Amino acid sequence: MARAPFEMADMRVAPGTRQQIDVPVARLYTHAPLYIPVEIVHGRQAGPVLLVCGGIHGDEINGVEIVRRLLRSRQLARLRGTLIAVPIVNVFGFVQHSRYLPDRRDLNRCFPGSESGSLGGRVAALFREQIVDQATHIIDLHTGAIHRTNLPQIRAQLGSNDETERMASAFGAPIVLNAELREGSLRHYAQNRGTPVLTYEAGEALRFDEWAITPGVRGVLRVMRRLGMLSGEHRHRAPPVAELATGSSWARAPIDGILRPQVRLGARVAKGERLGRVADPFGNAEGEVLSMADGIVIGMGRLPLVNEGEALFHIARFDVIEEAENAVETFQSSLEPPPDSLY
């Protein structure tokens, strides 16, 4: 029995073909239309429907490049199932180099959305109805916020869905955070409707970080092989075992001033260790930023100018810190490392 075409936005994609679709989302003040760009790769054989999306936050562009490279993979010629690739969800923010929508709402706090609500609610509802609800599995690509960078990591709610855990272990990021669901997020909506979903966090907003992009592409392909969408999982080297963080917290600025960091992203730190110093421009007032636990630095601020209480270093905690350290070192040694400078 022949497989049915895949339908989206009044378009039909035949089995064994791929097609780009512009999903109408809104208009600019100038009356020029805006579209969410989508590419559908519809395999000849039945299988999962995987949504891979980037740019829910418009300034997080590493995911845009991950999707572009994924679509260039020759392995997709033998795809089973369907890939829905969306490089940019928040097209408003992307055009303006902004995390947010024009009304300053965070699109990733607007799901499931409403057709008669705010701009954020309307965009979320359209994306959900036209695209998200057709997916059986989701990988959502993110980076750190503006002036923050993240070590490559997977965030997922583990323990509630075996398929989510299977995807997380297949991806190959060195760290997995068992992250609580945030109401209004895509992950919250998808998980509650029973759709397995991973969030990949890596790199910095408004930057192309090769050490974040390359493992992102590899990770998505690994997940696709694990799901049976691509052949040859047994012929590929198994990804290193990811270490599950038992928790995480931020070390914050003790005073207002200028930060001079003393540890790098991915570093192992001990409880009470000095992570950096904050001082005023004259050096008259100075405070130390101390680690609140033994752990690994999985995120950090990149802007030296800080205010008291600002989150500066994100520390993940582990049952066996040595194994987490080894996982990070193994991961970094296989890729182009982050810059040597502390900033």
Side-chain angles (χ1 to χ4, degrees):
M1 181 177 178
R3 192 180 185 205
F6 190 87
E7 299 185 14
M8 179 179 291
D10 299 324
M11 303 289 289
R12 293 163 63 88
V13 184
T17 67
R18 56 197 297 169
Q19 185 169 335
Q20 292 182 2
I21 299 173
D22 292 328
V23 178
V25 62
R27 290 183 179 272
L28 297 174
Y29 305 121
T30 61
H31 197 63
L34 276 183
Y35 303 91
I36 296 178
V38 181
E39 183 160 340
I40 305 295
V41 185
H42 193 41
R44 295 185 183 278
Q45 301 180 51
V49 179
L50 174 66
L51 167 62
V52 181
C53 59
I56 282 184
H57 294 134
D59 60 354
E60 298 183 1
I61 67 173
N62 278 333
V64 181
E65 179 65 5
I66 290 171
V67 172
R68 186 190 74 84
R69 295 188 193 182
L70 173 66
L71 289 171
R72 291 167 61 91
S73 173
R74 289 177 292 182
Q75 298 180 54
L76 297 185
R78 301 181 298 277
L79 180 72
R80 288 187 291 270
T82 304
L83 172 65
I84 305 175
V86 185
I88 308 159
V89 179
N90 180 2
V91 289
F92 286 99
F94 187 79
V95 168
Q96 297 295 326
H97 306 173
S98 171
R99 176 184 181 90
Y100 302 107
L101 291 159
D103 60 2
R104 297 300 297 169
R105 281 183 167 84
D106 184 337
L107 181 57
N108 208 30
R109 298 294 180 269
C110 293
F111 288 92
S114 169
E115 294 179 356
S116 59
S118 66
L119 175 62
R122 292 168 188 254
V123 173
L126 181 141
F127 183 58
R128 169 180 58 82
E129 293 169 0
Q130 293 283 338
I131 299 171
V132 174
D133 287 351
Q134 299 207 57
T136 62
H137 300 74
I138 299 173
I139 301 176
D140 186 19
L141 306 170
H142 285 264
T143 76
I146 191 74
H147 302 313
R148 287 186 183 173
T149 187
N150 283 330
L151 185 75
Q153 59 198 256
I154 287 293
R155 298 183 184 179
Q157 186 183 47
L158 306 178
S160 61
N161 188 306
D162 291 343
E163 191 77 337
T164 299
E165 295 188 24
R166 197 161 72 102
M167 292 169 64
S169 66
F171 196 97
I175 303 297
V176 175
L177 285 179
N178 187 10
E180 292 299 317
L181 298 174
R182 291 193 176 184
E183 189 166 353
S185 67
L186 172 62
R187 191 162 64 89
H188 180 271
Y189 169 75
Q191 196 77 34
N192 283 346
R193 76 186 297 264
T195 304
V197 54
L198 301 181
T199 296
Y200 174 63
E201 288 269 2
E204 183 180 356
L206 296 177
R207 297 288 183 271
F208 272 173
D209 300 299
E210 191 58 41
W211 51 269
I213 294 167
T214 297
V217 178
R218 292 177 183 172
V220 173
L221 291 171
R222 287 190 187 111
V223 171
M224 294 178 74
R225 286 193 288 269
R226 181 67 57 89
L227 296 178
M229 300 179 71
L230 301 175
S231 60
E233 182 180 15
H234 63 282
R235 295 198 300 269
H236 289 79
R237 184 171 56 186
V241 177
E243 291 300 318
L244 177 62
T246 58
S248 68
S249 52
W250 282 89
R252 298 181 179 273
I255 61 172
D256 304 307
I258 300 171
L259 172 68
R260 292 165 181 81
Q262 295 178 250
V263 295
R264 292 180 170 83
L265 196 65
R268 175 181 174 176
V269 296
K271 183 176 181 179
E273 180 178 341
R274 187 172 61 228
L275 307 177
R277 295 179 185 269
V278 179
D280 66 31
F282 298 102
N284 295 327
E286 185 173 289
E288 295 182 334
V289 186
L290 303 178
S291 178
M292 74 301 295
D294 296 341
I296 300 290
V297 179
I298 63 168
M300 60 185 292
R302 300 276 285 178
L303 184 67
L305 312 178
V306 302
N307 294 112
E308 183 176 356
E310 188 171 337
L312 302 180
F313 299 91
H314 193 191
I315 310 300
R317 302 183 298 275
F318 301 87
D319 286 332
V320 184
I321 186 66
E322 290 80 8
E323 293 181 0
E325 182 181 29
N326 290 336
V328 171
E329 289 178 351
T330 300
F331 175 84
Q332 291 180 332
S333 67
S334 66
L335 298 164
E336 176 186 338
D340 288 337
S341 63
L342 295 173
Y343 275 115

